[in-house]
Amino acid sequence: MTFDSQAYAAQLADKVTRLRDLLAPFDAPEPSVFDSPLQHFRLRAEFRLWREAGERHYAMFSQEDKRTPILIEQFPIASLRINQLMPQLKAAWQASSALSHKLFQVEFLTTLAGDAMITLCYHRPLDEHWHAAASKLAADLNVSVIGRSKGKREVIGRDYVVEKLDVGGRTFSYRQPEGAFTQPNGTVNQKMLDWAFEALGDRQDDLLELYCGNGNFTLPLATRVRKVLATEISKTSVSAALSNLSENAVDNVTLVRLSAEELTEALNEVRPFRRLQGIDLKSYEFGSVFVDPPRAGMDPDTCELTRRFDNILYISCNPQTLAANIAQLHDTHRITRCALFDQFPWTHHMESGVLLTRR
C-alpha cells in the first residue's frame, strides 16, 4: 500500500463532495474538514494467525475473498506501537510453545498516550505454563496481556488501556476496556472532541446524551453545561464511563443503562424503568441533546424525541442515515454547523458532525 499525499487529498476531496451533496437539500453550510495522518493512525488491530511453512503468520482477509489469507509482517495504518509490538510478539510465540499452542487470533489495543494491551485467543484451556509465559511476555513488552479461551479470560496487568486527551484546556483520562468500542483513529477523535466542545458552547442549561459509550464525549461536554443525563446500553461501556467520570472528578453527570429507545419511552411517560428510580427527569432543563448513534442512525421515535431540544449535536459514522434523520427534523431545525472527520482514511467510510438549531 502506498501512502501518497496527493492520492489522499483526492480521496478526501471526494468525501467532502459526497457529504456536501447529501446535505445540500438542507441548505447546510460548507463543512469544516478534519484530515487524518496518512499512516500509523489506527490504534487497534485484529489479526487471525495462519500457519505456512511450519510457522504462524499474522493474516487478514479481504471482503471479497474470505478464504485466501493476506500474510502480514507490518501494518502501516496501525499505530507505531502496534508495529513495534508485532515482531516482538511473533518472536515470543515462536520461542514458546506455551504461548503458541492453538493460538489462532491476536488483538492489539493502543493509545496516543502510549499504553498497550494484547489479547491472545486460543482453542484450548489456559494452564499455569501459559500464565508463566504470558506474565513474562507482559513484563518484557511492557503491556497488559489478556488470554481468551472458550468464554474464559485470564488478565495479566489490566483489562483496559488508558488514553489521555486534551479538550478545552483540560486533560481527560479515559479507561478503554478490552473488547469494548473505542474510536479507532485517536488523532481524529481528538479533533472530533474539540469540534463538539466548540459547537456546544458554554450553556446554563442541561444536556441529554444518547449512546454515550465510555464517556468519550461526555467528559468534555459536561464542563459546558449545568448537568448531563447520559444513556448507554452496553454494560462494559457503562462500567468504563462510570470509572472515567470518577477518575476525572466529573460530578454533574447521571448515567443510566438504557437504550435510546427506552429513554424515549421514559421521557414520554410510556412506562417507568427501575433503572431510573431516584432520578427526577422533570428536574432537568434540557436545552441540547448530543447523539452519536450506531451506523443505523436514530430510530424514528428517538429522532422525534430530539426535536424537542433547541440544539441537536449529532456525530455520525454513516452520512446516509444522518441525512435520513435530518430529513425528519428539517421542518423544525436547520443545520448551522457541519464537519467531516476523516476517521477512516483509505476507505470510503467517513465520520461527520452537524449542529442543528431550532428555526
Side-chain angles (χ1 to χ4, degrees):
M1 183 176 184
T2 59
F3 296 94
D4 178 77
S5 59
Q6 288 185 319
Y8 174 75
Q11 186 186 70
L12 183 56
D14 178 64
K15 291 181 180 182
V16 173
T17 299
R18 283 169 44 214
L19 182 62
R20 189 188 291 130
D21 290 347
L22 275 169
L23 300 184
F26 315 115
D27 300 317
E30 185 67 12
S32 301
V33 180
F34 298 92
D35 63 358
S36 170
L38 272 62
Q39 55 184 318
H40 301 311
F41 51 82
R42 189 172 177 84
L43 295 177
R44 62 176 192 252
E46 178 182 304
F47 303 99
R48 295 300 294 263
L49 297 192
W50 192 266
R51 186 183 290 276
E52 191 167 283
E55 273 190 33
R56 278 186 177 83
H57 302 271
Y58 296 107
M60 301 184 86
F61 296 83
S62 72
Q63 293 289 339
E64 294 74 30
D65 183 357
K66 297 291 188 181
R67 295 175 177 270
T68 307
I70 302 166
L71 303 186
I72 294 169
E73 294 299 322
Q74 291 289 293
F75 194 45
I77 67 170
S79 67
L80 286 169
R81 184 82 166 107
I82 290 175
N83 281 275
Q84 173 194 34
L85 289 169
M86 287 173 67
Q88 295 174 330
L89 175 61
K90 185 174 182 178
W93 83 54
Q94 287 176 332
S96 169
S97 60
L99 288 177
S100 64
H101 183 49
K102 295 197 175 179
L103 174 65
F104 72 92
Q105 183 166 301
V106 173
E107 300 165 13
F108 296 93
L109 179 60
T110 61
T111 69
L112 294 172
D115 209 355
M117 176 168 57
I118 298 173
T119 301
L120 306 174
C121 303
Y122 291 87
H123 287 312
R124 68 174 176 91
L126 302 179
D127 56 18
E128 66 273 12
H129 301 294
W130 178 87
H131 202 278
S135 297
K136 182 177 186 305
L137 176 71
D140 289 347
L141 301 188
N142 189 28
V143 298
S144 292
V145 173
I146 310 291
R148 285 195 169 273
S149 166
K150 291 185 180 177
K152 294 189 177 180
R153 189 175 73 145
E154 295 277 345
V155 179
I156 297 168
R158 303 179 306 201
D159 65 349
Y160 59 88
V161 292
V162 176
E163 182 64 283
K164 294 185 182 296
L165 298 170
D166 296 322
V167 186
R170 177 174 170 180
T171 300
F172 293 94
S173 176
Y174 291 91
R175 181 179 295 198
Q176 300 182 339
E178 186 250 353
F181 173 79
T182 54
Q183 298 287 348
N185 189 325
T187 303
V188 175
N189 183 42
Q190 174 74 73
K191 296 177 180 182
M192 289 168 52
L193 293 175
D194 289 337
W195 180 85
F197 182 86
E198 179 63 29
L200 182 62
D202 265 326
R203 303 189 56 83
Q204 302 306 311
D205 51 17
D206 302 328
L207 174 70
L208 175 65
E209 181 182 5
L210 309 179
Y211 324 94
C212 78
N214 71 346
N216 182 54
F217 288 95
T218 318
L219 299 182
L221 295 186
T223 68
R224 299 293 250 174
V225 296
R226 193 175 65 121
K227 58 182 179 177
V228 180
L229 178 65
T231 70
E232 170 59 46
I233 193 61
S234 161
K235 286 184 179 180
T236 305
S237 293
V238 166
S239 177
L242 290 171
S243 296
N244 291 334
L245 291 167
S246 175
E247 174 73 22
N248 290 275
V250 175
D251 59 4
N252 64 335
V253 176
T254 298
L255 176 61
V256 290
R257 194 173 71 81
L258 290 174
S259 68
E261 294 83 357
E262 288 171 329
L263 185 72
T264 298
E265 291 184 336
L267 289 171
N268 287 337
E269 299 183 350
V270 173
R271 64 184 177 113
F273 290 88
R274 277 184 297 178
R275 280 166 279 174
L276 285 169
Q277 276 187 344
I279 299 172
D280 182 6
L281 293 178
K282 293 181 179 177
S283 72
Y284 287 87
E285 298 173 11
F286 292 120
S288 306
V289 59
F290 176 80
V291 297
D292 182 11
R295 289 189 60 77
M298 292 189 287
D299 68 276
D301 287 344
T302 302
C303 195
E304 200 60 31
L305 170 71
T306 65
R307 190 194 297 279
R308 300 180 187 180
F309 303 90
D310 289 341
N311 304 292
I312 305 167
L313 191 53
Y314 191 142
I315 297 289
S316 169
C317 60
N318 184 343
Q320 278 77 25
T321 55
L322 170 66
N325 284 159
I326 293 172
Q328 185 174 339
L329 297 165
H330 186 54
D331 59 331
T332 55
H333 289 71
R334 62 188 179 91
I335 303 174
T336 54
R337 293 194 187 208
C338 175
L340 187 153
F341 308 99
D342 199 18
Q343 180 88 237
F344 311 100
W346 310 115
T347 76
H348 72 281
H349 296 292
M350 60 174 144
E351 201 100 357
S352 53
V354 295
L355 176 63
L356 297 155
T357 54
R358 190 178 299 283
R359 293 183 180 277

